[in-house]
Amino acid sequence: MLIDYYPSNSFIHSLDVRTKLLGFLIITVAAFVFLSPFINLLIAAITFLILLTIKTPLHKIKQVLKPLLPIFLIMLLITGFTYPAEKFQLDLNKQILFYLFPDKTLPISVGGIFYGLTLTLRILIMVLASTVVTFSTPIEDIIQLMQKMKMPYQLAFVIATGIRFVPTMQKKSEMIQEAQKARGTEFGNKGLIGNIKSYIPVLIPMIVDSIRMSENLAISMLNRGFGTYKSATNLHEIKMMKKDYAICLAELIILIAAIWANTENVGVL
Amino acid sequence: MNIEELERGSVVVDLEKYTYPGSPSATLKKINFKINKGEFIGVMGRTGSGKTTTLMLLNGLIPHFFEGNFDGSVIVNTMNTQRYRVQTLARFIGLVMQDPETQIFGITVEKDTSFGPSNLNYRKEKIEELVTKSLPLVGLSGFEKRITTELSGGEKQRLAIAGVLAMEPEIIVLDEPTSELDPNGRAEIYRVLSEIRRKENVTVIISGHDSEEMLDFVDKIIVLDEGEVVWQGIPHDLFKNVSLTEKYGIRPIETAEISNALCKDSVSKETEIFLHSGQLIEYLNKQLKSCSTKNEIHKETFIPKQKKTVIETIDLSFGYRKNEAALNKINLRIGKGEFVAVIGKNGAGKTTFSKHLNGLLRPTSGQVLINGRNIQSVSTSELSREVGYVFQNPDHQIFSASVREEVEYGLKNLNLTKVEIEERVNKVLKFVGLIEYQNRHPFTLGKGERQKLAFASILVMEPGILVIDEPTTGQDWDGTKRMMTMMKELHQNGHTILTITHNLRLAAEYADRIIVFSNGMVVLDGTPPEVFSQEQILESASVSSPESVKIGRSLFELGFRNDLITVNQIKEQLLENLSLINVN
């Protein structure tokens, strides 16, 4: 999640965190305003293009999307089969393609498939848009935004450090799993209870290690003068520039246009 | 003592006793020493001798963070540590700890270095100036935008040093900063510190087990034993006295060991104790020049007997990512009962290779055969009966409430009877020497015992092959010797042993075969004398020979056999030929 920041000097990277968050919001709203999968496909394509401009390596994007594939497939099937055909506004969408079982049970309609596609695309759009934000925004910017919203420095620091340690803990957990496998532990083929039980040998060393690490961290923080004063110098003040205001304005226009289009029945099913 | 007389950057410790809260006995007793501004001080002694506790006195962590029973006074940079907060003292005394992981707060190198000064509320421009000044001092210029989690262990540790440097301390204290590093990373730390001391005139206090570096870099050594300062003086005097170093659990310098043996048995009383191989070689040269012995070329004694192959890899290649080969077509055969040391610098592919032997990693192409069987589709847990893998950190596997349960754990999946389990556990606990501790909670044991326990929990599966990952990293001299003895015994009991190590002394003394990895390939494979004779290839693989090997090489030039590589072999040979040395 938030640890995916990937440094680069792209245009999106240079924008203020607030501009990016507004953009995320608008893309999401747009995706929910339109029901048609074609419009959503267009939005998804645009978001994907933006993602490409921030120069993230493709394998990182793949890492984000791959685990979502089965969810997309299940969503597509469930909505495709269960959405009642009568509810669609357009005649085309009311057409029933075939029935899964005889005696007209579980019909699948054109609209059903479209609707399933839209739902899937909406999630895809949200994931892509949030990836744009997380890949292009250092955690410090987000923390600073929180501080601007009057969160105390100490709490903001704790959150930032927690996030900084996610990859470290992941690595630790992998090392522990390897050590336990090497002495005969089997993971993942003993049913739910069995699996939970087999993770105890991973969990306990993890907890013990975390306690040790947190003590060391506390010491290190003191060593670096944490808590000398109530707050610390912000090295990189987040600041709205001219281009941020321009982009924000454009974003708002898009938002209004989308809502207006919706009232004009564009992109219904 | 009058505080006004003290100089900034000086340290005066006068401690009668310190006891950790809840601890039955005092951890420190009688700690007295004085350090002047700009000195480079080494603190040595066994694990558990009180080094860390002593160093934590200096920046006020004791008595502020760890309260306990404190009796005495510590004056650092003219400030009595009892009167100031740790954060206040931190401005003048920077402490770097052993684990680099828990000292890094920033996502990029630059941001992490600015953490200290920004806590001191310095102006932005001043912080930037301090960061730009600190990074080159630790050899990290050009790393500003790098992501901290992607740095190597040595780089992380140097970043931690930069982090305290950026606060412009008068004194830098480092608690075993090198114990988790490879030899190159270790030497780099000492070089960097010595530069910092020279350029910034700061006092540097470092603890560690690195005898050679301590000898070459520090001005003075303070030796601790059982919570007391037992010796202080210049490194030269400490390492010349081999019995003293042994007494306090400090690894002796190899050259000193050899010349000490000569000294003891030598007729000529003038034989000096040399500390650098060059000096000893020069001395021997002078003494031996007069006599002319022929090169008694010693042909290889180790003839690989036709043993059953237990490990075989055929064109084994592996990449963590596409187009990036971490291992490139490895073809190796290892016979039953061999003792193999795998060496090479970090990232050369040693661990990646070893993890293929029990299926923790699967080849991208090629095959791994264990006891003649292709293990492509055999699970790691099933392989654990054939290949035992001992990891470096015992705390990554200990989770049970008693020593006995911990050892039993692996046997639960094996369908053994209760009696069989009990027998096996008893046998293993006796072997590692933990039978009296069998009902203790593992976390109440010392680090050495926990390491033994981790070993036991692997041995109980009775694997014929043992892969042992860096058994001596982070260990003091006693621990190193203990691990080496245990491995030797296991080898004698018939186990095939493959150990990944940076400890070349271990490789030279115990292994009967050394495999050198470099860039994912095997560059050398042979008996220790064979491997150590290939100076150039070793150098290109960034492996530097132990001192004893260097002495052995020059002895060969002087007419000795060509397979002298260990301290003991050289001692023996020299003593046998004492008459030659005393000829003049």
Side-chain angles (χ1 to χ4, degrees):
Chain A
M1 252 288 280
L2 289 168
I3 44 163
D4 282 328
Y5 174 62
Y6 193 85
S8 149
N9 49 5
S10 76
F11 177 70
I12 303 279
H13 274 76
S14 72
L15 291 177
D16 189 274
V17 52
R18 284 158 287 192
T19 314
K20 283 184 263 191
L21 285 176
L22 183 66
F24 169 75
L25 194 76
I26 280 156
I27 288 178
T28 313
V29 169
F32 278 85
V33 158
F34 299 110
L35 264 175
S36 154
F38 303 107
I39 295 178
N40 273 300
L41 190 65
L42 185 71
I43 300 174
I46 293 169
T47 321
F48 191 73
L49 280 178
I50 297 173
L51 188 57
L52 287 182
T53 65
I54 66 169
K55 294 171 196 154
T56 330
L58 278 175
H59 75 261
K60 288 222 170 195
I61 302 175
K62 220 166 91 186
Q63 257 173 29
V64 176
L65 292 182
K66 213 177 156 189
L68 291 172
L69 276 180
I71 300 173
F72 287 167
L73 203 70
I74 291 169
M75 274 184 52
L76 204 60
L77 287 176
I78 290 179
T79 45
F81 280 113
T82 55
Y83 206 80
E86 318 75 76
K87 287 207 170 167
F88 294 110
Q89 293 182 24
L90 303 177
D91 287 338
L92 168 76
N93 295 332
K94 288 183 182 162
Q95 256 175 40
I96 284 160
L97 287 173
F98 58 84
Y99 296 92
L100 192 63
F101 295 112
D103 296 331
K104 299 202 168 186
T105 38
L106 280 180
I108 184 156
S109 60
V110 177
I113 291 180
F114 281 173
Y115 189 62
L117 270 174
T118 303
L119 288 188
T120 320
L121 282 167
R122 278 177 182 169
I123 293 183
L124 181 69
I125 289 164
M126 281 172 68
V127 171
L128 288 175
S130 66
T131 311
V132 171
V133 177
T134 56
F135 277 24
S136 68
T137 316
I139 178 71
E140 285 90 340
D141 286 12
I142 294 165
I143 301 284
Q144 250 194 61
L145 185 65
M146 292 184 203
Q147 271 179 271
K148 284 224 151 102
M149 292 155 77
K150 295 281 171 277
M151 180 191 270
Y153 168 65
Q154 274 79 356
L155 185 58
F157 175 79
V158 167
I159 294 172
T161 311
I163 291 166
R164 137 85 183 89
F165 272 89
V166 171
T168 309
M169 295 318 276
Q170 272 170 348
K171 216 194 260 167
K172 279 261 147 88
S173 128
E174 273 165 34
M175 282 164 83
I176 293 170
Q177 283 190 43
E178 283 188 342
Q180 300 298 15
K181 270 191 207 164
R183 61 195 278 216
T185 311
E186 283 185 55
F187 295 106
N189 50 0
K190 283 189 273 184
L192 187 64
I193 304 286
N195 274 338
I196 294 171
K197 254 178 125 180
S198 69
Y199 276 97
I200 289 175
V202 178
L203 244 112
I204 291 176
M206 272 301 268
I207 294 169
V208 173
D209 209 59
S210 309
I211 294 171
R212 187 193 57 81
M213 276 173 67
S214 64
E215 188 173 283
N216 282 343
L217 263 176
I219 294 176
S220 296
M221 281 159 65
L222 289 176
N223 288 342
R224 304 279 283 275
F226 181 83
T228 311
Y229 301 104
K230 272 206 171 130
S231 69
T233 317
N234 272 329
L235 282 175
H236 170 77
E237 192 84 25
I238 50 170
K239 214 173 153 193
M240 292 288 280
M241 316 274 263
K242 267 189 195 144
K243 61 182 170 190
D244 286 304
Y245 289 114
I247 300 273
C248 280
L249 188 68
E251 282 168 348
L252 287 172
I253 292 171
I254 294 171
L255 178 68
I256 292 162
I259 293 169
W260 173 78
N262 186 46
T263 55
E264 296 293 308
N265 273 356
V266 176
V268 293
L269 281 180
Chain B
M1 188 170 304
N2 194 346
I3 293 185
E4 273 78 55
E5 283 171 17
L6 293 170
E7 213 186 343
R8 293 179 72 117
S10 69
V11 176
V12 181
V13 178
D14 184 9
L15 185 88
E16 215 34 62
K17 214 190 227 170
Y18 171 71
T19 315
Y20 275 108
S23 166
S25 58
T27 307
L28 296 181
K29 347 160 214 196
K30 293 226 166 57
I31 302 284
N32 295 295
F33 57 83
K34 203 173 165 234
I35 295 167
N36 299 321
K37 181 178 174 65
E39 280 189 309
F40 193 166
I41 303 293
V43 179
M44 299 191 82
R46 297 188 165 83
T47 300
S49 61
K51 298 191 296 297
T52 303
T53 313
T54 305
L55 297 185
M56 287 197 299
L57 287 174
L58 304 182
N59 75 339
L61 281 171
I62 295 171
H64 299 298
F65 187 81
F66 297 103
E67 292 175 336
N69 194 346
F70 178 90
D71 176 14
S73 83
V74 177
I75 297 159
V76 177
N77 197 46
T78 74
M79 302 155 90
N80 188 326
T81 56
Q82 273 177 291
R83 296 212 196 107
Y84 295 89
R85 293 202 300 164
V86 179
Q87 291 99 317
T88 313
L89 290 164
R91 224 183 287 186
F92 308 100
I93 306 117
L95 177 66
V96 176
M97 298 190 298
Q98 190 175 334
D99 181 11
E101 207 58 69
T102 50
Q103 302 180 74
I104 292 173
F105 296 92
I107 293 196
T108 62
V109 166
E110 183 178 58
K111 282 189 181 130
D112 185 67
T113 315
S114 65
F115 178 58
S118 71
N119 281 328
L120 300 179
N121 269 357
Y122 287 166
R123 276 173 305 109
K124 200 177 148 191
E125 295 72 32
K126 184 168 181 190
I127 296 176
E128 275 161 9
E129 192 191 304
L130 287 168
V131 172
T132 345
K133 196 180 133 200
S134 308
L135 288 176
L137 280 171
V138 297
L140 288 179
S141 47
F143 282 64
E144 287 80 359
K145 306 274 177 214
R146 290 273 290 273
I147 294 182
T148 49
T149 44
E150 287 168 8
L151 299 177
S152 76
E155 286 163 352
K156 279 185 187 160
Q157 201 57 284
R158 280 185 278 141
L159 175 60
I161 298 175
V164 304
L165 269 182
M167 298 172 78
E168 300 185 295
E170 302 273 345
I171 303 166
I172 301 180
V173 181
L174 305 98
D175 182 22
E176 295 197 29
T178 61
S179 67
E180 305 290 325
L181 307 183
D182 68 337
N184 296 327
R186 202 161 61 211
E188 191 61 34
I189 295 281
Y190 281 89
R191 259 198 301 279
V192 155
L193 288 173
S194 151
E195 272 293 286
I196 292 170
R197 191 265 298 252
R198 195 176 58 80
K199 284 189 188 148
E200 308 290 309
N201 194 28
V202 290
T203 312
V204 180
I205 304 166
I206 183 171
S207 71
H209 303 296
D210 321 306
S211 300
E212 285 79 14
E213 284 84 1
M214 288 280 184
L215 172 64
D216 290 340
F217 288 99
V218 307
D219 302 328
K220 207 175 115 187
I221 291 179
I222 295 171
V223 181
L224 295 178
D225 197 33
E226 292 180 354
E228 271 179 70
V229 172
V230 287
W231 191 92
Q232 21 187 336
I234 59 166
H236 221 76
D237 292 344
L238 174 67
F239 290 110
K240 274 199 169 180
N241 195 338
V242 177
S243 56
L244 191 72
T245 49
E246 284 284 355
K247 183 176 164 197
Y248 296 131
I250 297 167
R251 182 167 49 80
I253 303 271
E254 292 179 19
T255 311
E257 266 183 274
I258 294 170
S259 46
N260 186 50
L262 277 180
C263 217
K264 256 193 224 155
D265 295 76
S266 176
V267 201
S268 102
K269 278 180 187 151
E270 278 142 47
T271 318
E272 261 187 82
I273 303 279
F274 298 105
L275 292 173
H276 290 101
S277 56
Q279 296 165 333
L280 177 65
I281 290 167
E282 203 182 306
Y283 168 78
L284 290 172
N285 244 321
K286 226 166 43 193
Q287 299 288 315
L288 292 165
K289 226 174 208 166
S290 45
C291 60
S292 54
T293 35
K294 259 187 243 147
N295 273 12
E296 187 195 311
I297 297 221
H298 188 84
K299 270 283 155 209
E300 143 141 17
T301 46
F302 172 76
I303 303 148
K305 289 159 213 151
Q306 286 308 311
K307 284 173 191 157
K308 203 178 119 210
T309 305
V310 289
I311 299 172
E312 185 174 5
T313 64
I314 304 165
D315 284 338
L316 166 63
S317 295
F318 177 80
Y320 287 98
R321 274 193 210 141
K322 265 182 200 163
N323 308 324
E324 262 181 41
L327 287 179
N328 199 347
K329 297 215 166 160
I330 307 291
N331 285 293
L332 282 172
R333 271 163 179 263
I334 292 166
K336 190 172 173 3
E338 279 193 74
F339 192 137
V340 182
V342 177
I343 64 175
K345 69 167 183 179
N346 276 353
K350 306 179 302 278
T351 303
T352 310
F353 168 74
S354 310
K355 283 188 178 167
H356 278 86
L357 303 180
N358 71 339
L360 284 174
L361 292 175
R362 304 288 177 177
T364 320
S365 70
Q367 290 178 7
V368 180
L369 286 86
I370 298 293
N371 294 320
R373 171 168 69 145
N374 185 341
I375 60 161
Q376 186 58 36
S377 53
V378 186
S379 75
T380 299
S381 53
E382 201 186 322
L383 277 167
S384 64
R385 282 168 243 177
E386 292 170 61
V387 184
Y389 199 117
V390 185
F391 285 86
Q392 191 197 329
N393 189 344
D395 297 338
H396 282 170
Q397 42 180 281
I398 295 174
F399 72 97
S400 304
S402 81
V403 167
R404 192 171 191 92
E405 278 172 46
E406 187 68 41
V407 179
E408 274 171 355
Y409 171 73
L411 296 177
K412 283 185 184 150
N413 299 325
L414 296 187
N415 297 326
L416 297 172
T417 65
K418 258 194 170 167
V419 184
E420 278 173 310
I421 292 183
E422 212 183 301
E423 271 174 16
R424 274 211 205 182
V425 173
N426 284 341
K427 196 176 131 200
V428 167
L429 282 176
K430 270 183 204 143
F431 174 79
V432 299
L434 285 179
I435 193 86
E436 346 38 312
Y437 296 113
Q438 57 172 312
N439 295 320
R440 284 270 292 272
H441 196 288
F443 289 111
T444 64
L445 301 175
K447 190 177 176 220
E449 271 83 37
R450 293 208 299 280
Q451 190 119 23
K452 285 181 184 171
L453 176 58
F455 229 109
S457 61
I458 299 291
L459 287 178
V460 79
M461 308 292 285
E462 300 189 344
I465 302 164
L466 282 171
V467 179
I468 307 167
D469 197 351
E470 303 202 18
T472 61
T473 302
Q475 303 259 20
D476 63 353
W477 182 227
D478 291 348
T480 305
K481 284 192 288 190
R482 189 172 55 230
M483 287 306 283
M484 296 213 253
T485 318
M486 195 141 90
M487 280 159 61
K488 197 172 150 192
E489 272 176 55
L490 287 166
H491 181 227
Q492 280 161 354
N493 292 350
H495 283 93
T496 308
I497 293 184
L498 186 137
T499 178
I500 305 164
T501 186
H502 288 299
N503 185 338
L504 298 179
R505 186 170 179 164
L506 178 151
E509 276 182 36
Y510 292 90
D512 44 39
R513 179 172 170 189
I514 297 179
I515 298 173
V516 186
F517 273 80
S518 181
N519 291 326
M521 282 183 282
V522 172
V523 289
L524 278 175
D525 180 2
T527 64
E530 279 169 4
V531 166
F532 283 119
S533 67
Q534 301 291 332
E535 235 173 310
Q536 277 174 340
I537 304 179
L538 285 177
E539 206 176 298
S540 68
S542 305
V543 175
S544 53
S545 307
E547 293 291 283
S548 59
V549 167
K550 289 181 195 158
I551 296 169
R553 270 182 209 143
S554 29
L555 283 177
F556 170 57
E557 281 162 25
L558 287 168
F560 283 81
R561 352 186 324 181
N562 71 344
D563 65 342
L564 299 178
I565 52 168
T566 73
V567 171
N568 285 332
Q569 288 169 342
I570 292 172
K571 271 202 252 179
E572 254 171 51
Q573 280 295 313
L574 284 176
L575 291 180
E576 264 177 43
N577 297 294
L578 257 187
S579 57
L580 295 178
I581 297 170
N582 296 320
V583 143
N584 63 337

